[in-house]
Amino acid sequence: MYAMIAGGVDTGWTFYVPYSTHYSNTHVIATGLGIFITGFSSILTGLNFIVTIHKMRAPGLTWWRLPLFVWAHYATSLIMILGTPVIAVTVLMVALENGLHLGIFDPALGGDPILFQHLFWFYSHPAVYIMILPAMGVISELVQGMSRKQIFGYSFIAISSLAIAMLGFLVWGHHMFVSGQSTYLGLVFSGISFLVAIPSAVKVFNWTATLYKGSISLDTPMLYALGFIGLFTIGGLTGLFLASLSLDVHLTDTYFIVAHFHYIMVGGAIMGYLGGLHYWWPKISGRLYPEAWGRVGAIIIFAGFNLTFGPQFILGYLGMPRRYHYYPPEFQILHVMSSAGASILALGYLLPLVYFTWSMRYGPRAGANPWDARGLEWEIPSPPPTENFVGQPVVTARTYEYGSEEGATVV
Amino acid sequence: MSSPSETPPVVAHHPALRHHFDTMATQKDSSLLGMWVFIAQEIMFFGGMLAAYAIYRNVYYDAFAAGSHHLDVKLGTINTAVLICSSLTMALGVHAAALGKRKATVLFLLLTIALGSVFLGIKVVEYADKFHHDLVPGPRYSAESLHGAHGEALSADTARHSELFFALYFGLTGLHALHMIIGVPIIAIMAWKAGHGRFGPAYYTPVEVTGLYWHFVDIVWIFLFPLLYLIPHHA
């Protein structure tokens, strides 16, 4: 915050050396300190989740009975624990380099600027999985809750989260195909990057299979979940284009990358969070939001999103570089579509803000379980009291048991 | 299902048991796992800089050997011994706390602080020597006091690259020292609490968790010592 008030930084978000060490006259060290402190919060959050999941489960809540949202958080926490410290020490080295010119990243003194990129992406690639994995966990909850059916392939979904977390640490080099790293290294990173598609596809297939013969209700959370599945699939498949070494050389730093990234991070992560927010809103606030407006919002966001980022795939494929304000006139129409889509998207984002605020005061009371869903959180009043459960809950079956009327737990 | 308005039964429990834990055993297990996970991230933290060390030592072996040659192996060895002894006193302190021996706990924790301070004192002497010989990376850095394995002068390139060795030397030992500087006051708080009878056989988790941290800091040095001080001594 200090750095922003004092004039910002001129390094770009990646802090690449030598911009951040030699050519920056702005507040690199202050920003670095901010990143460092934020890192502590990431690490301690991850630590909290891991310890809680290991040691503080309710009686009977075995690993294979955990909600998939919890599995996703477990995988995310592992990344936060193992990745964040690396970016912390990297930022520390950049700050030292910026302040004292030690030479660690300076070729003039024998250092190597590419080393910075390696350390940077070692964290920053897993960091995008930190964003998407919890959203995947949310989608697992939404799909089973809204089709009122035991999730298909529970253990595969759980393990695929861990597989994504693990593979995420082995693919950082695919951000550096054009950095001058060895071609053989590029080949290996390209291969491992393809492997990430396997656990991701396992999830998509299992979600789709859960829908089969489910009793589906197209309420707002489900619309977001379906939107997620579609957009994430497009984002994932275009990721395969970028994982191909030769094609990536053509597509690097174009709008194609921008579109791919946003299909995963906005079409994926943000759709997941919005879906989750709608699903658990009655639990959080104790009130129902207006369902019709919720559906309108979900559809506007889906349409606006595709109009914004769909054309960018074409622009990028045709060679439009990112971060340029000037382009050939034949690109004009696609740029206009993209900008129009962004405005629609903004409208879609404002809608939930309005009706959520409205519902906090005027929404009808939700009751404990408005979706008739299964799981521990739906057995307590909404919003949950400070002491969640009056007695110790004992879990007797997997979270998603829709067969029996008694539900999965005894209190 | 019981109704939400019922108040949970109040059961007498140990005063150190926090409300979100059921038993002292769960609380202790959770704290210990938390420290182990923290240590895992610490390993990655040091790992980033050790990766830089590994790469540059491979590329500029001569410069690193010359830089390492200048370090005082005698002081480094003494410090290694001091730190291992401090780990021993720390372990004895945890043991005494587990047995509920108040005086012994305080004594061993104070001994650990003393040994830790000796280590940091010797580190100050070593750092002062580097300042004296202009071996601190930065505008005043000069490799004039360095020489090769047989006393010969360094080539211009080797001399230039030796600055990287000292950058990593100060980076790694500095981070390690910082961890000790954080550890010493924590042990002091533990000693104070132990002196006031806060710990006993039923509850000594904070001492044990502090011990884990201290042993980790010790282990880091066990790695740093050969990596930094003994480069030219390896065949």
Side-chain angles (χ1 to χ4, degrees):
Chain A
M1 281 302 285
Y2 159 75
M4 272 168 70
I5 295 164
V9 280
D10 56 359
T11 57
W13 79 272
T14 55
F15 263 59
Y16 268 18
V17 292
Y19 304 130
S20 56
T21 49
H22 284 59
Y23 301 113
S24 177
N25 301 313
T26 49
H27 305 275
V28 169
I29 294 178
T31 315
L33 186 66
I35 296 169
F36 206 86
I37 294 168
T38 319
F40 272 106
S41 76
S42 286
I43 290 168
L44 293 176
T45 307
L47 193 151
N48 195 346
F49 273 121
I50 289 180
V51 172
T52 306
I53 295 170
H54 267 277
K55 298 290 179 193
M56 296 177 72
R57 281 172 280 126
L61 188 58
T62 59
W63 281 92
W64 296 114
R65 286 176 181 173
L66 283 176
L68 287 166
F69 190 36
V70 176
W71 271 106
H73 266 296
Y74 187 73
T76 310
S77 302
L78 287 178
I79 302 179
M80 292 202 280
I81 291 293
L82 298 177
T84 317
V86 177
I87 200 69
V89 79
T90 311
V91 164
L92 186 70
M93 287 195 276
V94 167
L96 291 175
E97 185 91 353
N98 182 291
L100 306 169
H101 297 288
L102 299 185
I104 299 174
F105 302 126
D106 182 4
L109 293 166
D112 189 347
I114 299 294
L115 176 65
F116 171 82
Q117 295 188 23
H118 279 291
L119 291 171
F120 174 81
W121 287 114
F122 181 82
Y123 167 73
S124 296
H125 187 79
V128 297
Y129 295 167
I130 292 178
M131 296 179 233
I132 193 72
L133 274 169
M136 289 171 154
V138 169
I139 298 303
S140 303
E141 299 292 322
L142 300 192
V143 167
Q144 58 82 22
M146 294 282 116
S147 46
R148 308 200 22 72
K149 189 166 160 257
Q150 169 103 250
I151 195 134
F152 185 82
Y154 172 93
S155 51
F156 271 78
I157 298 188
I159 295 295
S160 64
S161 291
L162 296 180
I164 289 175
M166 192 193 75
L167 287 172
F169 278 111
L170 306 174
V171 299
W172 77 88
H174 70 216
H175 296 268
M176 300 165 57
F177 283 158
V178 294
S179 70
Q181 74 179 0
S182 130
T183 316
Y184 298 107
L185 205 54
L187 271 176
V188 173
F189 277 126
S190 172
I192 304 175
S193 302
F194 279 119
L195 290 183
V196 180
I198 297 172
S200 310
V202 162
K203 281 182 188 295
V204 171
F205 289 135
N206 281 321
W207 292 326
T208 319
T210 305
L211 297 174
Y212 179 65
K213 285 193 174 170
S215 104
I216 297 171
S217 66
L218 287 176
D219 287 337
T220 316
M222 187 56 147
L223 293 182
Y224 279 111
L226 294 176
F228 176 102
I229 295 175
L231 299 179
F232 177 75
T233 305
I234 297 176
L237 290 177
T238 50
L240 294 179
F241 292 34
L242 295 167
S244 321
L245 196 46
S246 52
L247 198 52
D248 183 77
V249 173
H250 170 61
L251 295 172
T252 287
D253 266 339
T254 67
Y255 266 44
F256 196 91
I257 289 274
V258 178
H260 159 72
F261 179 80
H262 284 87
Y263 263 79
I264 298 290
M265 288 292 106
V266 178
I270 298 203
M271 295 291 260
Y273 293 141
L274 280 171
L277 195 57
H278 284 84
Y279 185 62
W280 282 296
W281 183 256
K283 180 55 61 189
I284 298 167
S285 68
R287 306 274 188 163
L288 296 175
Y289 59 87
E291 185 56 44
W293 280 108
R295 292 183 198 180
V296 170
I299 291 167
I300 291 181
I301 289 180
F302 184 78
F305 174 83
N306 277 305
L307 189 57
T308 310
F309 294 105
Q312 294 189 2
F313 278 126
I314 306 170
L315 278 171
Y317 182 72
L318 294 174
M320 173 76 210
R322 58 201 284 208
R323 304 193 180 105
Y324 276 47
H325 78 283
Y326 187 77
Y327 45 83
E330 61 266 32
F331 287 173
Q332 176 70 13
I333 180 68
L334 290 167
H335 276 289
V336 169
M337 280 165 73
S338 192
S339 301
S343 311
I344 298 173
L345 194 53
L347 179 71
Y349 284 148
L350 287 175
L351 258 182
L353 193 68
V354 175
Y355 61 70
F356 275 148
T357 317
W358 177 88
S359 77
M360 279 170 77
R361 206 182 160 86
Y362 305 106
R365 297 277 171 189
N369 190 357
W371 307 113
D372 194 20
R374 295 290 180 269
L376 275 180
E377 77 267 33
W378 300 112
E379 309 216 343
I380 53 171
S382 320
T386 311
E387 291 282 338
N388 289 173
F389 289 90
V390 178
Q392 176 73 269
V394 178
V395 181
T396 53
R398 192 173 277 179
T399 312
Y400 312 114
E401 289 294 345
Y402 283 93
S404 63
E405 274 306 303
E406 302 93 79
T409 52
V410 245
V411 178
Chain B
M1 196 187 293
S2 44
S3 85
S5 56
E6 255 173 57
T7 45
V10 179
V11 190
H13 57 70
H14 196 281
L17 182 65
R18 301 300 177 90
H19 71 89
H20 50 284
F21 290 105
D22 282 340
T23 62
M24 292 301 279
T26 329
Q27 177 167 316
K28 182 179 176 186
D29 275 1
S30 304
S31 306
L32 288 178
L33 178 65
M35 187 37 97
W36 278 111
V37 174
F38 185 79
I39 287 173
Q41 74 83 23
E42 285 280 8
I43 290 171
M44 296 303 285
F45 183 72
F46 278 97
M49 207 176 267
L50 285 171
Y53 168 89
I55 291 165
Y56 294 138
R57 174 185 156 157
N58 260 314
V59 182
Y60 309 122
Y61 178 78
D62 289 344
F64 271 54
S68 177
H69 197 72
H70 185 87
L71 298 185
D72 194 328
V73 178
K74 202 188 292 165
L75 286 182
T77 312
I78 293 171
N79 251 352
T80 310
V82 166
L83 210 51
I84 290 176
C85 288
S86 85
S87 248
L88 174 67
T89 55
M90 187 75 225
L92 289 171
V94 174
H95 186 63
L99 295 177
K101 294 180 179 167
R102 190 191 292 194
K103 274 188 183 160
T105 312
V106 175
L107 175 73
F108 283 126
L109 291 181
L110 290 180
L111 265 175
T112 311
I113 294 175
L115 288 167
S117 308
V118 169
F119 178 94
L120 288 170
I122 292 180
K123 210 72 224 152
V124 169
V125 172
E126 289 191 71
Y127 279 1
D129 169 77
K130 308 299 173 292
F131 274 95
H132 185 67
H133 287 98
D134 285 336
L135 286 171
V136 181
R140 286 196 52 197
Y141 182 82
S142 149
E144 267 171 39
S145 50
L146 300 182
H147 50 78
H150 309 291
E152 74 275 16
L154 300 181
S155 72
D157 268 354
T158 310
R160 199 157 53 90
H161 296 148
S162 65
E163 190 174 352
L164 266 181
F165 172 81
F166 282 100
L168 288 166
Y169 166 78
F170 277 100
L172 287 166
T173 57
L175 274 185
H176 176 257
L178 181 67
H179 279 79
M180 296 194 60
I181 292 168
I182 293 167
V184 165
I186 295 176
I187 299 175
I189 293 170
M190 290 305 139
W192 186 86
K193 283 189 165 181
H196 285 72
R198 303 280 177 83
F199 303 124
Y203 176 66
Y204 60 98
T205 313
V207 188
E208 194 168 0
V209 169
T210 311
L212 270 181
Y213 174 82
W214 192 256
H215 296 318
F216 167 75
V217 175
D218 186 10
I219 289 268
V220 170
W221 179 257
I222 303 287
F223 279 90
L224 292 187
F225 175 61
L227 287 179
L228 294 168
Y229 286 72
L230 305 180
I231 297 176
H233 298 273
H234 107 122

